[in-house]
């Protein structure tokens, strides 16, 4: 007998002939995640198992962060002997009060009892040992699970994981990461679909501080734990913002700034083999997030632009941020470049021709080239 963590996977089941590829990636990702605790990982009969670790809580914490894992259960692995299974099942119910139900799955059809027969047999033995308990098959207070596979597995809890698709199966993308609430959530949502992320951050010292940059790196570190670290490209943006502020109509300042960000992000993406860009925009949340404004920024790149938060309101975004532990960091009072030179009356329904006319006041190509040439890239990890 030994303790193991039993992990279930969700959407991978639907992948048909491509399923072996997705499973290989998923198992490899679990191995990477539990490597620091020395866990042994293997796949057998539609389950992933982890063993040979000391701390079950730590193992649960790690494996539930692996995209593609639907849920996990701390389990006891043992031989498929009915009397031993019954003995351990009864022991697991020590101290339980109220109502219970035994649930069984028999994948090994050579086992003498089918799932229903095994559930009845084990339920009867539990009642013999604990007559104070009652069976409730509809709304039990406690569920006891037994799975008969290559071994017998006993467990009584199911812990939900992040779900989604295995990391690395859907390509690579660049996340425009600010210090706010929205962009880390947007990155997490796309990571759940199996996309590896590199962050692109625009810094404007001295208007933005070292603390503001460290805040962004902390956010990258938090969401990077789902893919074993994150590469962050830090773009010097002060000169561009100063030029916009001095030479362009104030009301279009934020929009022109966003267009520069997309130009530079497009260059970084192409230089690093990234196939898409991700932003944290939510339709109508601020002046630069209207349909007209988004249309003016999207044409600055030939890459797909993913906006997973586009239909969410702020409270929904905050709820996800709290769930993934980025919220408390995001609300630290350190400014980012988007708050520098904010216009008093921003244009909300810009005409592309007018925006392009304002940009002709700037040496756009030279400003972009200088910024790209001075990008600093760092790798952040827990």
């Amino acid at each position: 007998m030994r303790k193991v963590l039993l992990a279930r996977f969700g959407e991978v089941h639907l992948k048909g002939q491509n399923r072996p590829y997705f499973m290989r990636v998923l198992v490899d990702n679990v191995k990477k995640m539990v490597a620091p605790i020395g866990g042994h990982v293997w796949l057998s009969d539609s389950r992933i198992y982890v063993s040979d670790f000391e701390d079950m809580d730590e193992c649960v914490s790690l494996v539930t962060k692996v995209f593609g894992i639907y849920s996990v259960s701390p389990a006891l692995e043992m031989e498929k002997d009915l009397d031993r299974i019954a003995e351990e099942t009864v022991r697991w119910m020590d101290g339980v009060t109220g109502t219970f139900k035994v649930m069984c799955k028999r994948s090994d059809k050579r086992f003498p009892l089918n799932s229903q027969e095994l559930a009845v047999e084990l339920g009867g033995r539990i009642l013999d040992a604990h007559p104070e308990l009652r069976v409730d098959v509809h709304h039990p207070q406690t569920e006891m699970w037994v799975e008969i596979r290559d071994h017998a597995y006993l467990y009584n809890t199911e812990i939900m994981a992040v779900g989604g698709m295995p990391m690395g199966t859907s390509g690579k993308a660049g996340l425009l990461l600010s210090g706010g609430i929205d962009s880390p959530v947007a990155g997490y949502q796309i990571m759940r679909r199996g996309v590896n992320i590199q962050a692109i951050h625009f810094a404007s010292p001295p208007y933005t501080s070292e603390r503001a940059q460290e805040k962004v790196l902390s956010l990258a570190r938090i969401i990077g734990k789902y893919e074993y670290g994150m590469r962050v490209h830090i773009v010097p943006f002060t000169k561009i913002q100063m030029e916009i502020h001095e030479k362009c109509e104030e009301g279009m300042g934020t929009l022109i700034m966003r267009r520069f960000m997309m130009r530079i992000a497009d260059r970084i993406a192409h230089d690093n083999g990234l196939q898409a860009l991700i932003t944290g925009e939510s339709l109508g949340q601020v002046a630069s997030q209207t349909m007209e404004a988004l249309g003016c920024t999207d044409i600055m790149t030939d890459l797909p632009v993913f906006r997973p938060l586009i239909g969410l309101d702020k409270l929904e975004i905050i709820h996800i941020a709290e769930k993934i532990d980025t919220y408390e960091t995001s609300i630290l009072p350190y400014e980012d470049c988007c708050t520098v030179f904010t216009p008093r009356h921003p244009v909300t329904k810009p005409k592309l021709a007018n925006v392009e006319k304002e940009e002709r006041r700037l040496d756009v190509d030279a400003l972009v080239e200088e910024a790209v040439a001075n990008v600093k890239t760092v790798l952040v990890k827990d």
Side-chain angles (χ1 to χ4, degrees), residues 14 30 38 59 123 139 147 167 185 195 207 215 240 299 322:
L14 308 176
V30 175
C59 189
H139 304 289
E147 296 192 10
M167 180 62 65
V185 174
V195 178
Y207 302 103
K215 171 183 173 181
I240 291 174
I299 62 173
E322 291 172 334

Side-chain angles (χ1 to χ4, degrees), residues 117-332:
E117 292 168 343
L118 180 59
V120 170
E121 176 67 24
L122 295 177
R125 297 202 192 191
I126 290 171
L127 288 174
D128 289 341
H130 301 286
E132 71 281 5
L133 296 177
R134 292 182 296 109
V135 173
D136 184 342
V137 297
H138 299 295
H139 304 289
Q141 293 170 284
T142 301
E143 289 186 349
M144 185 69 211
W145 278 90
V146 177
E147 296 192 10
I148 306 297
R149 298 181 179 274
D150 53 344
H151 290 78
Y153 296 92
L154 283 61
Y155 58 91
N156 62 2
T157 186
E158 181 176 2
I159 302 164
M160 302 310 296
V162 290
M165 295 298 298
M167 180 62 65
T169 58
S170 298
K172 299 189 293 183
L175 168 67
L176 277 68
L177 181 64
S178 72
I181 296 171
D182 301 340
S183 57
V185 174
Y188 170 83
Q189 293 292 82
I190 294 297
M191 290 167 70
R192 289 190 72 244
R193 305 311 306 158
V195 178
N196 284 110
I197 299 299
Q198 295 183 23
I200 303 168
H201 173 65
F202 296 86
S204 295
Y207 302 103
T208 59
S209 65
E210 284 294 325
R211 287 187 173 184
Q213 182 170 305
E214 183 54 42
K215 171 183 173 181
V216 170
L217 295 179
S218 296
L219 290 169
R221 191 173 292 112
I222 292 169
I223 59 175
K225 65 188 176 184
Y226 295 96
E227 60 169 320
Y228 336 112
M230 180 169 291
R231 197 172 300 278
V232 182
H233 306 282
I234 302 171
V235 182
F237 207 54
T238 308
K239 183 174 181 179
I240 291 174
Q241 288 193 283
M242 289 293 295
E243 290 275 307
I244 294 171
H245 178 66
E246 292 172 2
K247 298 179 180 180
C248 297
E249 180 187 329
E250 182 190 18
M252 290 190 182
T254 299
L255 179 58
I256 294 172
M257 178 191 74
R258 298 291 296 179
R259 282 164 61 87
F260 269 96
M261 287 180 171
M262 294 300 278
R263 288 183 177 99
I264 295 168
D266 178 86
R267 285 284 301 277
I268 293 172
H270 283 291
D271 290 346
N272 289 273
L274 308 180
Q275 301 156 283
L277 297 175
I278 307 161
T279 76
E281 289 154 324
S282 172
L283 188 63
Q285 186 177 124
V286 295
S288 63
Q289 296 178 14
T290 63
M291 285 191 182
E292 294 85 352
L294 295 178
C296 287
T297 57
D298 278 5
I299 62 173
M300 294 295 97
T301 178
D302 61 355
L303 297 173
V305 181
F306 297 148
R307 294 185 172 94
L309 312 185
I310 198 71
L312 302 185
D313 64 34
K314 198 66 175 185
L315 290 178
E316 292 171 314
I317 297 169
I318 288 172
H319 175 72
I320 301 172
E322 291 172 334
K323 173 185 170 185
I324 65 174
D325 296 327
T326 58
Y327 180 72
E328 292 299 326
T329 301
S330 291
I331 62 174
L332 291 174

Side-chain angles (χ1 to χ4, degrees), residues 3 5 9 35 45 47 67 146 300 306 312 328 338 356:
K3 292 181 180 179
L5 186 67
F9 39 90
D45 196 15
R47 293 286 189 267
F67 291 117
V146 177
M300 294 295 97
F306 297 148
L312 302 185
E328 292 299 326
C338 294
E356 292 174 337

